[in-house]
Amino acid sequence: MAAIEVGRVCIKTAGREAGKVCVIVDVLDKNFVVVDGFVKRRRCNIKHLEPTEKKIEIEKGASTEQVRQALEEAGFTEE
């Protein structure tokens, strides 16, 4: 399984944004991370994420704009 780390591209598996692409921008503790990307920036339980093998180069706490730009450069699009 892919590691839970800043820059890891994930798919949300629960909630109203299920199925959407997001990126981990901060790791809070062993259960929660902050995600952003094609979802609203928020705290998320890692049990509600499906990490992919892909990772983008962003710094911890990167802005929504930086995250979306990095996702688009990596070939991801908002469904």
Side-chain angles (χ1 to χ4, degrees):
M1 187 172 126
I4 299 297
E5 58 192 339
V6 172
R8 179 66 59 196
V9 177
C10 300
I11 309 291
K12 287 203 69 177
T13 58
R16 65 176 55 174
E17 295 170 324
K20 294 206 174 180
V21 175
C22 62
V23 179
I24 296 173
V25 292
D26 197 0
V27 178
L28 301 175
D29 58 32
K30 66 184 178 74
N31 293 317
F32 290 96
V33 294
V34 176
V35 295
D36 203 347
F38 301 132
V39 299
K40 189 174 175 186
R41 185 182 198 108
R42 63 176 63 177
R43 191 174 76 135
C44 181
N45 190 322
I46 60 171
K47 291 178 181 162
H48 299 164
L49 295 174
E50 181 66 46
T52 66
E53 292 302 311
K54 301 229 186 297
K55 185 170 189 271
I56 59 174
E57 287 304 314
I58 59 165
E59 51 195 61
K60 181 176 175 176
S63 71
T64 302
E65 220 171 85
Q66 290 170 317
V67 173
R68 288 187 179 211
Q69 187 177 357
L71 275 172
E72 284 165 12
E73 286 170 7
F76 290 96
T77 55
E78 194 166 0
E79 287 91 59

